[in-house]
Amino acid sequence: MAGRSEANAPSSSSGAAEPYSIFDHRQKALITFLAATAATFSASASNIYFPALPAIAHDLDVSIELVSLTVTSYLIFQGIAPSIWGPLSDVKGRRITYFCTLLVFFVACIGLAETRNYATLVVLRALQSSGSASTVAVGSAVIGDITTPAERGSYLGIFQAGLLAPVAVGPVIGGALAASLGWRSIFWFLAIYSGIYLTAQAFLLPETLRSLVGNGSAVSSNPVTRFPLNIYQKLTKVKFNHQDQPQGPKKLKIDISAPIRILFSKQAICPIIFLALYYAIWQMSITAMSVLFSERYGLSTTQIGLTYIANGAGTVSGTLVTGWMLDKEYERVKKQYEADKSQNGLELGSQDSPTVQDDDVDFPLEKARFRLAPIFALLQCASIITFGWTIEYRVHIAVPIITTFFTGWTVISIASIVTTYLLDVFSEQKAASTASLNLARCLLAAGGTSIVMPIISAVGVGFAFTIAIAVQILALGGVAIQWKYGGGWRLDAEKARRQAEQEDGTASVSSIDQRETAL
């Protein structure tokens, strides 16, 4: 349930309310920057690779089609891997998961730089994807740990801006490296980049998992958890009381099936499928773009790399602006909700208290998050169909390039909306919920990118993307369903959770009584 665990921040021994998070604005900014930097590895490893495909095919003596399959395999493992790393981070902690996943990425990059055959390339690209992709799920969870729903949109916007910056600059860097130093230099660059970050992360990124450190005030006996959190505790400007490490009612277990269960839960499946389809069609458009711009407009490899800048600029701009808009929407709905309850004579806490917005299962979370979704969805439909038909009729290349800016803007705005909503709803499984989203969007994108060129060959560019927007319009029904029924589904899930906790508590008491009787 949204905010259930978030509201349960440790309270001080004096009874005064503790802050939701001990991290001040400067520290939150640093943590967000570190999480965003880690997330760049996922998009960097994917986008920096595109310009080098012909060179790799020539060097390894295989067809371009075979090398292109490594892009599909990368997307497949990009979807699957976070389903393992995400639940691990929800139990063992964010720091240790970051270290393990980025170590895998680092080793894979070195192996790729030294690969001599196609089979090794395929295996190591899958391993590289398994390491890099999880930084998105873990990073989103870190943002969820340190922010309340009222401010989460803006911080997630900053996080995703860092995540998506490589969409703009990755192909340019990859093309420059491949042309000047050879395609292997791309992977040496990624290895050095990740090695530097691993070192910085060890000294700068604190543990944020709330079941381990609460609101950040916990004193842990584990040195991995304690450092550098103890430094943050000394330097923060937020007043708090040190707490003992939180003790849950039972020991948490790593549940790798959690992303699958979340994906198919009533609270999540509609918004996830909605986003996954829009994301897949975006990936189809940018995958086809290089081939179409080469065949229809005669662009060189370097020129094609430069055309991706518009798409990347759109994604970065979109996530920053949409994050701010989401916070404003949340504030607007919250004020209206409190006013309505006050008129009905219902008692509310302080307007500034996060427990007002987090604890109330009747809060219209769907209205606070999804009101903007249809606007972005329809704008993306318009940009996609314009992209398809302008290329079909060979309109000046500036027009389809400009449409990629708006496609990038809108799809990432939709991603921000859905990701923020899932973090609100699945507050105890933040990484797992993001992993479920990642699983759906990457698998659909892998399928879409593998069929987009055959469809274009069969029916033409214009009709291919007309079919795509027909699918998108149907997917928009998922938002309508969530808007109407989502609140009731969340309430049902909360009731089921409370009943399960009561049953577990009763069983635990009964077990203790039996042991005492036996003694």
Side-chain angles (χ1 to χ4, degrees):
M1 172 51 215
R4 176 169 54 81
S5 65
E6 294 173 349
N8 296 333
S11 59
S12 69
S13 57
S14 63
E18 282 286 288
Y20 173 76
S21 173
I22 70 158
F23 303 110
D24 59 35
H25 291 300
R26 296 171 306 147
Q27 293 175 334
K28 285 181 180 179
L30 176 58
I31 293 170
T32 302
F33 171 76
L34 291 169
T37 302
T40 62
F41 294 115
S42 180
S44 292
S46 176
N47 289 273
I48 202 173
Y49 183 68
F50 290 150
L53 294 181
I56 294 173
H58 179 268
D59 195 28
L60 299 182
D61 195 24
V62 295
S63 67
I64 190 67
E65 288 79 14
L66 281 177
V67 176
S68 296
L69 286 177
T70 63
V71 176
T72 301
S73 66
Y74 186 93
L75 285 169
I76 291 172
F77 280 87
Q78 193 177 44
I80 295 173
S83 299
I84 299 173
W85 293 112
L88 176 69
S89 80
D90 283 336
V91 175
K92 297 300 183 181
R94 315 302 186 198
R95 272 171 59 82
I96 188 65
T97 306
Y98 262 136
F99 177 81
C100 293
T101 189
L102 288 174
L103 184 62
V104 169
F105 178 81
F106 174 75
V107 172
C109 287
I110 295 177
L112 283 164
E114 294 294 326
T115 190
R116 293 293 184 269
N117 59 72
Y118 176 72
T120 305
L121 177 72
V122 174
V123 172
L124 289 179
R125 275 291 283 175
L127 187 66
Q128 184 190 43
S129 177
S130 300
S132 65
S134 305
T135 57
V136 180
V138 180
S140 297
V142 167
I143 304 303
D145 291 337
I146 64 174
T147 60
T148 66
E151 63 183 351
R152 189 165 293 154
S154 294
Y155 281 100
L156 269 177
I158 297 170
F159 166 73
Q160 291 185 327
L163 160 66
L164 294 163
V167 175
V169 301
V172 179
I173 294 174
L177 287 172
S180 59
L181 300 174
W183 64 268
R184 298 179 189 279
S185 65
I186 292 174
F187 298 110
W188 282 119
F189 169 78
L190 292 173
I192 294 169
Y193 180 25
S194 58
I196 293 172
Y197 176 80
L198 266 173
T199 304
Q201 184 251 17
F203 290 97
L204 296 176
L205 184 69
E207 180 57 66
T208 63
L209 179 61
R210 297 184 74 85
S211 63
L212 292 182
V213 300
N215 63 353
S217 62
V219 179
S220 175
S221 57
N222 186 337
V224 176
T225 304
R226 187 171 62 249
F227 179 83
L229 180 59
N230 54 351
I231 306 298
Y232 279 78
Q233 291 170 344
K234 292 177 181 178
L235 297 179
T236 183
K237 295 181 179 180
V238 176
K239 296 185 181 299
F240 69 97
N241 294 308
H242 282 285
Q243 305 294 322
D244 294 329
Q245 187 167 341
Q247 298 293 327
K250 57 184 178 181
K251 187 176 181 180
L252 297 175
K253 296 180 180 179
I254 300 172
D255 184 6
I256 61 174
S257 66
I260 301 296
R261 291 202 314 275
I262 291 172
L263 172 59
F264 290 102
S265 67
K266 290 187 294 185
Q267 304 101 293
I269 188 168
C270 286
I272 286 179
I273 296 302
F274 163 67
L275 169 59
L277 286 169
Y278 276 72
Y279 180 88
I281 290 169
W282 170 54
Q283 285 290 308
M284 290 166 65
S285 69
I286 62 175
T287 299
M289 195 167 81
S290 60
V291 177
L292 294 173
F293 282 178
S294 174
E295 292 179 351
R296 309 248 173 163
Y297 294 94
L299 299 190
S300 67
T301 302
T302 302
Q303 290 171 329
I304 290 171
L306 293 173
T307 64
Y308 282 88
I309 293 177
N311 178 69
T315 59
V316 173
S317 303
T319 191
L320 288 172
V321 174
T322 304
W324 174 80
M325 293 172 70
L326 280 174
D327 284 351
K328 292 298 182 182
E329 275 292 291
Y330 193 98
E331 182 182 358
R332 182 188 64 81
V333 174
K334 175 178 176 286
K335 287 181 178 179
Q336 183 61 51
Y337 176 69
E338 289 177 338
D340 291 343
K341 294 198 78 171
S342 297
Q343 290 176 0
N344 292 332
L346 299 178
E347 182 177 357
L348 286 174
S350 171
Q351 183 172 334
D352 294 330
S353 172
T355 57
V356 175
Q357 58 210 29
D358 295 347
D359 279 347
D360 199 331
V361 296
D362 295 322
F363 180 77
L365 186 62
E366 288 69 28
K367 291 184 179 180
R369 297 305 188 201
F370 286 112
R371 194 174 73 92
L372 298 174
I375 299 173
F376 290 124
L378 293 174
L379 284 174
Q380 186 182 337
C381 290
S383 65
I384 285 291
I385 197 169
T386 304
F387 173 82
W389 285 106
T390 52
I391 293 178
E392 177 75 24
Y393 288 107
R394 288 180 169 82
V395 176
H396 192 281
I397 194 172
V399 179
I401 289 176
I402 290 171
T403 66
T404 65
F405 174 88
F406 291 102
T407 302
W409 180 303
T410 52
V411 73
I412 296 307
S413 297
I414 294 170
S416 296
I417 290 170
V418 175
T419 302
T420 306
Y421 177 77
L422 292 178
L423 290 176
D424 292 340
V425 173
F426 299 96
S427 59
E428 289 187 342
Q429 296 175 300
K430 295 183 180 74
S433 66
T434 307
S436 68
L437 177 61
N438 205 62
L439 176 65
R441 69 181 178 86
C442 288
L443 292 184
L444 281 179
T449 54
S450 67
I451 65 173
V452 61
M453 291 312 299
I455 294 176
I456 290 174
S457 298
V459 300
V461 185
F463 281 113
F465 286 104
T466 300
I467 295 169
I469 68 160
V471 174
Q472 288 183 308
I473 291 172
L474 289 175
L476 191 54
V479 175
I481 293 172
Q482 199 70 22
W483 182 282
K484 184 173 182 179
Y485 300 107
W489 289 336
R490 286 189 291 108
L491 182 59
D492 292 342
E494 178 66 10
K495 289 179 180 177
R497 181 197 64 80
R498 289 176 179 173
Q499 183 177 354
E501 284 188 351
Q502 289 176 353
E503 292 175 354
D504 289 344
T506 302
S508 299
V509 171
S510 175
S511 176
I512 293 171
D513 290 342
Q514 289 175 4
R515 288 197 298 268
E516 289 178 345
T517 301
L519 292 173

